[in-house]
Amino acid sequence: HLALLLGVASTPAAAKFPSMPKELLGVWFPDNAEGRNSCAAYTAAFQTGGLEAARDHLVGAEVISRRVVHSYAEYGEGNFYTVQRVAKSGKNQWTVAARLTFDTPVADDNETRKSSLILTLNGKSLSISESSDKDGPFVTNGLAKCTPKLPRGY
């Protein structure tokens, strides 16, 4: 079930699920010196030591797969936004209805929140605006794509 949730299943049933646009898929870091250093460290660790070695360098990244937006925190925890619906809402802008869970992609209904994301791609810079049914809006501006390749499991 986890593979299907993360969008890696290859069954015909997987085609029924909404999917993030191809141009948004990948690993994104803040577009600043620290983010560029984290991206370089992530790609170097991935090339030399594989995924396990690279995971520590994902902290602070936004990992966007077909079915999940993961705001990566320590030990692979963080916010998991499971995509429920995707709609184009403007030029290079998408509105995403999602279920938000904390520190795990799967949780009981009591541990989830409804969340809305607006993702805007301005040239090569991505911003994400988020609001949930329990919290006000939160905006992450100026993300740069580190790599379109997703870590295994996404």
Side-chain angles (χ1 to χ4, degrees):
H1 289 10
L2 182 60
L4 186 61
L5 173 68
L6 295 177
V8 296
S10 60
T11 64
K16 292 194 252 181
F17 293 111
S19 182
M20 295 295 287
K22 184 177 180 180
E23 54 265 55
L24 298 178
L25 303 181
V27 178
W28 297 78
F29 283 97
D31 190 10
N32 57 31
E34 183 179 349
R36 287 186 287 279
N37 289 339
S38 294
C39 175
Y42 169 73
T43 54
F46 191 83
Q47 290 171 353
T48 59
L51 181 60
E52 287 306 314
R55 282 194 193 274
D56 289 341
H57 301 287
L58 281 173
V59 174
E62 297 289 333
V63 180
I64 301 176
S65 71
R66 290 183 22 227
R67 294 273 299 133
V68 174
V69 177
H70 180 190
S71 297
Y72 210 95
E74 298 289 330
Y75 310 110
E77 296 176 345
N79 294 351
F80 289 84
Y81 302 88
T82 303
V83 176
Q84 304 293 302
R85 188 174 55 253
V86 179
K88 183 115 172 138
S89 54
K91 184 180 179 184
N92 298 318
Q93 186 175 69
W94 298 265
T95 300
V96 178
R99 290 181 55 141
L100 169 61
T101 57
F102 303 99
D103 299 333
T104 180
V106 180
D108 296 332
D109 283 341
N110 293 339
E111 299 172 356
T112 66
R113 296 180 181 183
K114 291 179 183 176
S115 183
S116 176
L117 302 173
I118 298 173
L119 294 95
T120 305
L121 192 56
N122 186 7
K124 293 183 178 184
S125 182
L126 176 66
S127 37
I128 302 173
S129 174
E130 182 234 338
S131 59
S132 74
D133 59 353
K134 302 200 184 203
D135 295 319
F138 179 78
V139 178
T140 303
N141 285 314
L143 297 169
K145 188 180 282 187
C146 176
T147 178
K149 294 180 181 179
L150 291 165
R152 186 180 40 224
Y154 284 92

